[in-house]
Amino acid sequence: MTTKVGTLALIVAAFVISIAGQATPVQLLKEGSLYQSADDTSDRAAIAYRLVIQKYPNSIQAEQAQYFLGTYYEKKFFLVEGKSKVPDWSSFDQADKEFYSYVGKYGTKGTKSYLADSYFNLAMIALRRGYRNKDYRDTANKLLTQMSEVARQ
């Protein structure tokens, strides 16, 4: 539940960025983070993160935005499930896609700051999909092994 201060911060951030017209990647990341931290499930955070990736593809912020996009959809899954008591598998599918996209894009370039975290989140998604299913458990184990290897580097 957002507070009045949180809601005001979101409005101010959106206003500042709309006035600027050409928002910087830092501003867009901040905007996305504000929506995400306010538990907003309207995809406004995803829009801000995608703008960073599209407008500034070679920036450090694009790498951050790619990872944050995955975390946004993963969080959305749990928020929607918590409210409706029904799993929002489309959000989990999107989270899965965004984390794999991070691994694919930044596994060999960039700062790799979120590489181990991406593998961890992918493993948790696999386990949540079907911890009783051997295929999902095997996938999760492989992803956790990759996470461990990356973390040692």
Side-chain angles (χ1 to χ4, degrees):
M1 186 169 169
T2 59
T3 64
K4 288 183 182 181
V5 173
T7 303
L8 181 60
L10 291 174
I11 292 168
V12 169
F15 179 70
V16 167
I17 289 173
S18 68
I19 287 176
Q22 192 67 289
T24 68
V26 172
Q27 289 171 320
L28 289 167
L29 273 180
K30 199 175 281 190
E31 179 184 8
S33 294
L34 282 171
Y35 286 120
Q36 188 171 351
S37 66
D39 293 344
D40 183 347
T41 58
S42 70
D43 289 351
R44 288 182 282 199
I47 291 167
Y49 297 145
R50 286 186 201 288
L51 281 172
V52 174
I53 295 164
Q54 290 167 358
K55 287 185 168 191
Y56 309 98
N58 298 316
S59 68
I60 291 171
Q61 291 82 13
E63 180 177 351
Q64 294 169 320
Q66 184 63 59
Y67 176 75
F68 294 160
L69 196 53
T71 63
Y72 165 73
Y73 283 110
E74 186 176 23
K75 183 177 182 179
K76 181 178 177 180
F77 170 85
F78 289 109
L79 289 170
V80 171
E81 182 182 47
K83 288 177 187 171
S84 68
K85 308 297 182 218
V86 175
D88 177 21
W89 295 113
S90 65
S91 289
F92 241 25
D93 292 343
Q94 194 64 41
D96 200 54
K97 177 183 171 206
E98 301 305 341
F99 287 129
Y100 272 114
S101 184
Y102 180 91
V103 168
K105 287 180 189 174
Y106 302 105
T108 58
K109 68 176 188 174
T111 67
K112 302 178 193 172
S113 297
Y114 303 102
L115 193 55
D117 294 324
S118 292
Y119 281 122
F120 176 80
N121 287 321
L122 286 165
M124 294 304 102
I125 289 170
L127 288 173
R128 178 61 174 86
R129 286 187 191 280
Y131 60 91
R132 293 184 182 131
N133 181 310
K134 183 178 176 348
D135 291 337
Y136 285 119
R137 285 194 317 269
D138 289 347
T139 297
N141 280 328
K142 288 176 188 170
L143 290 163
L144 290 172
T145 298
Q146 289 174 298
M147 177 201 73
S148 181
E149 290 169 3
V150 166
R152 281 189 232 136
Q153 294 176 359

